[in-house]
Amino acid sequence: MKIKILFLLMIFCHVSFSQTQQDQRVWMAYTGQYKASPNLGYHMEAQFRMDNQLEQNQQNLFRVGVIYHFSESQNATAGYALVNTFSAARDDFFKENRIWEQYQITKKWSKDILINRFRLEQRWVEQLRFSELEGVTSETAYQNRFRVLNRFLWYMTHLKSEKESFYFFLQNELFVTLGENEVNSKVLDQNRLLVGFGLNYNNTIRLELGYLNHYITSSTANDLMNHTVSISLFHNIVL
């Protein structure tokens, strides 16, 4: 029975990869959360997504938001994001304006942490088109998207002091389109599986290095799987 199941899994993986284009990327990100009062805070984020040679900027993202803390373990955030994505077909960047809202729950067991995040996005995505008469033109397509993130942080050991700890993390985020849209007609938009190690200093600074398996579906071309090196810096302070 186990051999049959393994054989079926191998066939499934072969079919999936045979229909998927693969590539390599390097993502660098800074995320800052600044608590201004017991209930209110601010979110600032910048991401730079490069090719594996760090020569071509594939995408950059800037996100800001206002956080309301219901308690130490629950908060809600709403904000705006600007995304610039490189189109190899048009040799140019196209823009996306995004409004986002999220609800986050954080659970702690001793020094281990579980984070559940639910995010809703309203996206206005520029689409570049080419015609012999008009050249390159752009239109704006709208999409609603829902994201579910589960993130586990397992404490491993202290380093030089109790303020410095080393941990392992495992994270998965699923992206689902909502309703009819002009960006991607598939219900499953993408999935991000991230695994790696992190360094925590005094619960205010976290530096993480990991591998990201980024699967992206497409309604007009082959699906894409990016094998990505992820480098992230998290900064949490009380103003």
Side-chain angles (χ1 to χ4, degrees):
M1 184 63 180
K2 293 181 179 180
I3 295 177
K4 291 182 179 180
I5 295 175
L6 180 60
F7 180 71
L8 291 174
L9 288 174
M10 292 175 63
I11 293 177
F12 173 78
C13 292
H14 174 74
V15 172
S16 299
F17 286 121
S18 65
Q19 297 176 350
T20 303
Q21 182 180 351
Q22 300 190 43
D23 208 344
Q24 293 81 39
R25 295 285 188 269
V26 177
W27 285 14
M28 295 170 286
Y30 168 83
T31 301
Q33 293 196 345
Y34 314 102
K35 197 169 185 180
S37 72
N39 296 111
L40 291 178
Y42 305 98
H43 178 100
M44 295 184 63
E45 185 176 344
Q47 296 190 27
F48 301 93
R49 300 167 179 176
M50 314 290 291
D51 65 4
N52 62 339
Q53 301 297 325
L54 299 179
E55 295 177 352
Q56 175 61 54
N57 182 8
Q58 301 289 338
Q59 188 179 69
N60 54 66
L61 180 149
F62 305 96
R63 185 183 283 121
V64 294
V66 177
I67 309 171
Y68 184 83
H69 296 273
F70 299 100
S71 64
E72 291 187 0
S73 61
Q74 299 183 51
N75 65 70
T77 309
Y80 166 78
L82 173 63
V83 185
N84 296 301
T85 305
F86 181 73
S87 171
R90 300 289 176 246
D91 193 28
D92 198 1
F93 286 86
F94 62 90
K95 293 184 178 180
E96 174 187 343
N97 293 285
R98 185 184 301 176
I99 304 297
W100 58 283
E101 308 87 26
Q102 74 176 34
Y103 178 70
Q104 180 171 301
I105 305 172
T106 302
K107 298 179 181 179
K108 296 183 179 180
W109 296 275
S110 182
K111 298 178 181 180
D112 300 331
I113 299 174
L114 168 64
I115 298 173
N116 302 113
R117 190 183 75 191
F118 309 92
R119 178 179 291 175
L120 183 64
E121 297 176 329
Q122 300 82 49
R123 307 173 64 203
W124 289 266
V125 183
E126 181 183 23
Q127 294 187 327
L128 303 178
R129 305 185 187 280
F130 176 81
S131 67
E132 295 182 356
L133 295 177
E134 300 180 359
V136 178
T137 60
S138 65
E139 299 177 355
T140 300
Y142 179 76
Q143 181 193 63
N144 291 307
R145 189 167 66 181
F146 183 63
R147 302 167 55 167
V148 180
L149 178 142
N150 296 297
R151 174 174 167 86
F152 301 88
L153 284 73
W154 284 284
Y155 165 81
M156 297 182 67
T157 184
H158 287 307
L159 296 179
K160 294 182 179 180
S161 68
E162 291 187 356
K163 291 184 177 181
E164 300 177 1
S165 60
F166 190 62
Y167 61 93
F168 169 81
F169 64 88
L170 175 65
Q171 173 181 311
N172 193 79
E173 186 172 18
L174 182 67
F175 295 62
V176 178
T177 61
L178 300 177
E180 296 183 1
N181 66 83
E182 300 173 341
V183 179
N184 187 356
S185 61
K186 294 186 177 181
V187 175
L188 174 60
D189 183 75
Q190 58 180 280
N191 189 78
R192 298 177 183 176
L193 175 62
L194 176 63
V195 59
F197 296 93
L199 175 65
N200 174 34
Y201 177 74
N202 201 28
N203 292 325
T204 59
I205 296 177
R206 293 181 184 271
L207 179 62
E208 294 184 353
L209 176 64
Y211 162 74
L212 171 65
N213 184 284
H214 186 197
Y215 185 82
I216 309 170
T217 68
S218 174
S219 56
T220 59
N222 290 334
D223 294 347
L224 177 64
M225 179 178 289
N226 290 328
H227 302 284
T228 303
V229 175
S230 175
I231 306 169
S232 300
L233 176 65
F234 299 89
H235 191 200
N236 301 311
I237 59 174
V238 177
L239 299 178

